[in-house]
Amino acid sequence: MMKRKISRFFRKKEVLGAFLFLFIVFGLYSLKLMSAQPYVVSTRNLGTFTARGTLTHEATFKNNTLYGDSVAMENYPMPIVEELKMVYTYESHPGLSEGNYTLLVTATYYVSKGTQEIVLWKENLFEDEGVLKDGAFTSEYTFDVADLDNRSSEIARELGIKRLKRKITITATVNCKGTVGSREISESFTQTSQLIRDPSAELYYFVDTTKKESKPFTETSTARANTSVFGISSDVKTAQTTTTILALLMLVPLIGYAYLGRGPKDDMKKLRPYIVRGAPGKVEKKVHLRTQEDLEKTFELLDKPIMNYIDGEEEVYVIIDNGVAYEYRKPLPGAKRTAN
């Protein structure tokens, strides 16, 4: 009884319409959420690390009435230069907690072979090293021009090469580590400058005196994306799963109705065109057929119409031939089956 009531309830048009409506709603939500990203990626700026190296310089001149004793210039006239003083400064922001530096001044003696430089001798003129203080250091060195020229002449004589060239290189190397924002970092910085002696223009000048590097640091985090379905908030992943399951649940009664709404299977479909309603009169003899297959075989042999009528709780199919009734009895749906 309870099953019949439930079956009748689910077969009501308004109930089926409600399930169809809910299936469409949840299906649309499910399709919409399938294209949504389940995670949100956000980037937070932790800060920027900046390093800067600067080489400043000035010259001390021999007796002259134009420049005085010393002055800072871009180009220095060779004939009156006595000394060249350089000051190298490195600073970083933020100043990292640990770090060390090396400042190396090197003299390289070479000759040109086409476009190629052939180095014949190399020596260090000055080396300074130490630890950074608040992410910075300062070092200075003075070139005695007369000493440099004398050393160049001495090396040229020993090598026996008159056209020996000289190149002065200043190299600063810094290694440091510390914290920027919430991240531990390790940074390195290298700068190379040169003191150029140009005999054709009779000038001294420095090149590559400034270098600056900046590096931003970011932090990427991933979080579940949230959405709202019918005013209920949840993460997208859960909402995708829930709406899909609900859509499938709403589909179950519709599929059940489509299945149960089908008419009962007609076992006599093959013989139905040859069946007529009615009960036979008196017959001389009855032959009881046990199965529907027996009825079909009898019909094929006799090729006579099949009469059909109800007898109590049984449906009877009969073929009459020469006073003999070939009878097949079939219990009505819901009737208790009894033996013939």
Side-chain angles (χ1 to χ4, degrees):
M1 183 67 70
M2 182 60 68
K3 289 183 178 179
R4 290 182 180 179
K5 288 183 178 180
I6 294 174
S7 177
R8 285 198 297 270
F9 173 77
F10 280 105
R11 290 188 181 188
K12 290 182 179 179
K13 291 183 179 180
E14 54 271 25
V15 175
L16 292 172
F19 278 111
L20 178 60
F21 173 77
L22 291 175
F23 167 71
I24 293 173
V25 170
F26 286 122
L28 291 176
Y29 264 107
S30 178
L31 291 174
K32 180 181 178 181
L33 291 171
M34 286 302 173
S35 62
Q37 294 295 329
Y39 298 98
V40 176
V41 179
S42 58
T43 302
R44 183 168 65 95
N45 186 21
L46 300 177
T48 301
F49 177 75
T50 303
R52 183 185 182 92
T54 305
L55 179 69
T56 58
H57 47 82
E58 67 176 16
T60 301
F61 296 122
K62 301 173 184 178
N63 292 333
N64 71 94
T65 59
L66 299 176
Y67 299 114
D69 293 337
S70 63
V71 68
M73 304 168 60
E74 289 188 7
N75 301 282
Y76 302 101
M78 287 174 53
I80 63 172
V81 174
E82 190 173 54
E83 292 181 343
L84 288 168
K85 180 182 179 181
M86 64 157 224
V87 179
Y88 183 83
T89 302
Y90 169 86
E91 55 187 359
S92 62
H93 181 78
L96 301 185
S97 57
E98 298 180 38
N100 55 75
Y101 70 89
T102 300
L103 183 71
L104 184 63
V105 180
T106 305
T108 303
Y109 298 91
Y110 66 97
V111 293
S112 298
K113 181 182 177 182
T115 58
Q116 186 180 7
E117 290 185 358
I118 307 299
V119 177
L120 299 176
W121 183 250
K122 187 175 183 179
E123 60 186 7
N124 294 338
L125 303 179
F126 173 74
E127 185 174 3
D128 181 24
E129 59 183 17
V131 297
L132 300 179
K133 185 177 181 181
D134 296 328
F137 81 92
T138 299
S139 184
E140 60 182 64
Y141 176 72
T142 300
F143 300 94
D144 188 310
V145 174
D147 287 348
L148 284 175
D149 291 341
N150 292 335
R151 180 59 176 163
S152 297
S153 298
E154 180 184 345
I155 294 174
R157 284 195 303 270
E158 290 195 25
L159 295 175
I161 297 177
K162 294 181 179 180
R163 296 185 179 273
L164 189 67
K165 297 180 181 180
R166 181 184 72 206
K167 179 167 62 177
I168 306 296
T169 304
I170 304 102
T171 304
T173 304
V174 180
N175 294 292
C176 53
K177 60 181 179 179
T179 304
V180 173
S182 59
R183 178 179 294 183
E184 294 290 330
I185 68 169
S186 180
E187 294 296 318
S188 60
F189 179 88
T190 301
Q191 181 181 356
T192 300
S193 306
Q194 284 188 8
L195 169 60
I196 304 298
R197 180 179 183 273
D198 188 347
S200 61
E202 295 190 282
L203 293 174
Y204 283 113
Y205 56 91
F206 290 87
V207 295
D208 300 325
T209 57
T210 302
K211 183 178 180 180
K212 181 180 179 180
E213 291 181 351
S214 294
K215 181 182 292 186
F217 289 93
T218 58
E219 181 180 67
T220 302
S221 59
T222 303
R224 288 180 178 269
N226 290 326
T227 188
S228 177
V229 179
F230 300 124
I232 302 174
S233 296
S234 67
D235 61 84
V236 172
K237 195 74 174 178
T238 302
Q240 288 174 341
T241 304
T242 303
T243 53
T244 302
I245 292 175
L246 289 174
L248 293 175
L249 288 176
M250 296 304 106
L251 189 60
V252 170
L254 300 176
I255 296 175
Y257 173 76
Y259 177 77
L260 296 175
R262 296 181 304 172
K265 184 179 179 182
D266 187 3
D267 294 333
M268 295 293 177
K269 183 177 180 181
K270 184 177 179 181
L271 299 176
R272 189 65 62 188
Y274 312 104
I275 296 176
V276 294
R277 299 290 294 178
K282 292 183 179 181
V283 294
E284 299 175 2
K285 183 180 178 182
K286 286 186 179 181
V287 177
H288 293 284
L289 305 176
R290 296 178 58 83
T291 65
Q292 181 180 325
E293 287 76 13
D294 293 340
L295 178 65
E296 292 176 1
K297 291 178 181 179
T298 303
F299 171 76
E300 291 175 357
L301 290 172
L302 300 179
D303 193 21
K304 297 290 182 68
I306 304 173
M307 303 182 70
N308 173 236
Y309 66 95
I310 303 298
D311 182 15
E313 293 186 349
E314 293 181 319
E315 187 173 12
V316 184
Y317 296 89
V318 182
I319 300 175
I320 304 298
D321 182 54
N322 296 325
V324 180
Y326 297 90
E327 184 179 87
Y328 168 65
R329 291 179 174 266
K330 177 182 176 183
L332 291 172
K336 185 176 181 182
R337 183 180 294 274
T338 56
N340 289 332

